Amino acid sequence: MDMPQDWPEPIVRVQSLSDSGIPLIPDRYVKPPLERPSINSTTLLDVNIPVIDLVGLNGDDRATILDQVSIACREWGFFQVINHGVSHQLMDGAREGWRQFFHSPMEVKQAYANTPKTYEGYGSRLGVEKGAILDWSDYYFLHYLPSPLKDCNKWPTIPADFREVLDEYGKQSVKLCGKLMKVLSINLGLGEERLGNAFGGENIGACLRVNFYPKCPQPDLTLGLSSHSDPGGMTLLLPDNHVPGLQVRKDEKWITVKPAPHAFIVNVGDQIQGRMRESTGFISYGKPGLCSLEHYGEIIVLSNATYKSVEHRVIVNSSKERVSLAFFYNPKSDIPIEPLKELVASDRPPLYPAMTFDEYRLFIRMRGPSGKSQVESLKSPR
């Protein structure tokens, strides 16, 4: 399965469509009726994903914070973190710097135009299916880790010193993700380094996709990003504090997330869900359940699903644009993705075939966002 060298059709920049003042969106962006954002969307003031304060993680509140993260991962697959250690000034500078980039002249942005081969650079579609219904968004994708993939020459130079800002943002984001991975590992009853080591230890992958959602004349007919679960390990999302847009699926309804000030939105990806759920032998991807850990010597039996990689999507707005930064913390690209060995036994075989993250990422990129059906299609026959 080889990725094409170029997109199957001419690329249209969504921002250009928005700026043109068209009253109706092109048919290519109109979603089928059941996928439109007016279906089962909830914006109740008392419903939101958990907000967790990390300030006491290494102090007296450690047990409470670990429990809060555990509950959030089991019940939502999403949570927000505050007092996380990343500079607020850096967060604001990174987001507003990207906003400035997307408002640069088109010839400046086009110099960074991407291809499906690596996705790195300025883009406007995900997936290479010809004739696919597209999302109402543009984006910029770049690599941080591993070091050989990091090419700062492919990073924007607008605004001035932006590359330095992005580099520091990446360093602080990696540090925070590493801290959260230890929390997840401890909550699974493993050593704090076990989950991180399964991802490659110091040789993990990390990349950034910056999403730009222009104003849309018919936001009830389209989506900024179609329903999907993230293919990697963990996602650290810096939202637009002033424009809600992220929706998380819970109990067959779409909940609109209300970002807390200077919070990161954290969600579990397919690789963490897959490693843990495969180990049970009882449940497949996408089916929620409660966690029960039973210790037998060195073996941990997960009698039901622990962490969820949950479907989410992005709605758009008729009067406001939106910018968000999704930082992906991923396994080393050539490590086979399979259950942790100590969680597998003859009566608990893996539900899915081993696959490297590169192979899985290519599988997803060929198809584009598609709910949870991607991972379900990989299930081994029983």
Side-chain angles (χ1 to χ4, degrees):
M1 182 165 54
D2 294 325
M3 181 62 74
Q5 295 288 333
D6 207 351
W7 303 107
E9 300 150 323
I11 291 295
V12 176
R13 303 302 180 189
V14 178
Q15 188 177 5
S16 296
L17 292 174
S18 176
D19 290 346
S20 71
I22 56 173
L24 304 175
I25 63 174
D27 291 343
R28 291 293 306 278
Y29 299 90
V30 177
K31 302 294 181 182
L34 291 180
E35 296 179 19
R36 295 174 189 173
S38 59
I39 302 297
N40 292 328
S41 294
T42 301
T43 55
L44 299 176
L45 294 178
D46 59 345
V47 177
N48 198 17
I49 63 174
V51 179
I52 300 173
D53 190 338
L54 298 182
V55 72
L57 183 58
N58 295 318
D60 294 340
D61 294 332
R62 181 175 178 81
T64 299
I65 295 170
L66 291 176
D67 189 53
Q68 290 174 341
V69 173
S70 179
I71 293 171
C73 286
R74 294 198 313 263
E75 296 185 358
W76 284 90
F78 273 80
F79 56 96
Q80 301 186 63
V81 291
I82 59 174
N83 292 316
H84 39 64
V86 179
S87 160
H88 291 181
Q89 182 179 0
L90 181 63
M91 296 167 72
D92 293 340
R95 182 177 49 230
E96 296 314 307
W98 279 112
R99 193 187 305 275
Q100 185 173 333
F101 169 81
F102 281 104
H103 282 286
S104 299
M106 182 57 70
E107 60 269 20
V108 172
K109 294 180 289 190
Q110 280 295 110
Y112 298 97
N114 72 349
T115 72
K117 195 66 179 178
T118 66
Y119 273 67
E120 191 162 21
Y122 174 54
S124 296
R125 68 175 292 165
L126 299 170
V128 292
E129 178 187 354
K130 190 172 183 179
I133 297 176
L134 303 178
D135 291 334
W136 191 263
S137 60
D138 297 325
Y139 67 89
Y140 201 107
F141 182 87
L142 55 83
H143 290 286
Y144 279 104
L145 295 172
S147 296
L149 288 181
K150 181 179 178 181
D151 185 355
C152 296
N153 292 322
K154 295 181 179 179
W155 300 8
T157 56
I158 294 176
D161 77 2
F162 195 37
R163 289 179 176 176
E164 289 78 8
V165 171
L166 295 180
D167 194 47
E168 183 60 25
Y169 184 84
K171 290 176 182 176
Q172 293 197 26
S173 297
V174 167
K175 183 178 179 180
L176 175 57
C177 287
K179 180 191 303 184
L180 292 171
M181 286 285 282
K182 291 179 180 180
V183 171
L184 299 187
S185 197
I186 292 169
N187 281 340
L188 286 165
L190 305 171
E192 70 173 27
E193 303 290 346
R194 184 66 182 94
L195 193 55
N197 288 340
F199 266 43
E202 297 296 322
N203 298 312
I204 55 93
C207 51
L208 177 74
R209 188 180 71 228
V210 184
N211 307 294
F212 182 80
Y213 305 103
K215 299 174 187 177
C216 179
Q218 294 178 293
D220 56 326
L221 298 182
T222 190
L223 289 167
L225 188 57
S226 295
S227 172
H228 66 289
S229 61
D230 290 345
M234 175 188 296
T235 303
L236 204 63
L237 180 74
L238 175 60
D240 193 319
N241 287 336
H242 305 294
V243 189
L246 175 66
Q247 292 189 326
V248 175
R249 188 165 191 162
K250 181 173 173 59
D251 300 329
E252 301 307 314
K253 292 186 180 294
W254 290 101
I255 308 297
T256 302
V257 174
K258 295 178 280 294
H262 287 115
F264 280 109
I265 299 172
V266 182
N267 67 282
V268 172
D270 292 342
Q271 305 310 314
I272 288 180
Q273 172 176 310
R275 287 176 184 273
M276 300 308 140
R277 293 197 177 187
E278 286 180 15
S279 67
T280 70
F282 302 119
I283 193 165
S284 65
Y285 284 85
K287 298 181 181 178
L290 298 177
C291 171
S292 176
L293 298 181
E294 298 174 335
H295 296 261
Y296 296 101
E298 295 301 314
I299 299 177
I300 299 172
V301 179
L302 297 176
S303 63
N304 214 331
T306 306
Y307 297 155
K308 300 187 290 184
S309 69
V310 171
E311 280 185 80
H312 50 286
R313 67 184 188 183
V314 177
I315 57 175
V316 289
N317 194 292
S318 61
S319 60
K320 297 179 180 178
E321 68 183 32
R322 182 170 176 271
V323 177
S324 68
L325 282 64
F327 188 87
F328 302 108
Y329 188 89
N330 299 325
K332 188 173 182 288
S333 63
D334 58 356
I335 291 180
I337 304 303
E338 56 187 351
L340 298 172
K341 299 302 183 184
E342 62 265 43
L343 300 181
V344 176
S346 59
D347 61 339
R348 299 188 304 278
L351 295 178
Y352 297 83
M355 178 181 285
T356 69
F357 182 59
D358 266 351
E359 291 170 335
Y360 184 70
R361 180 163 47 191
L362 178 59
F363 176 81
I364 296 295
R365 284 180 175 179
M366 290 290 285
R367 292 158 177 78
S370 186
K372 296 283 289 187
S373 64
Q374 311 282 34
V375 287
E376 288 289 352
S377 70
L378 291 173
K379 186 185 293 185
S380 301
R382 310 307 278 173

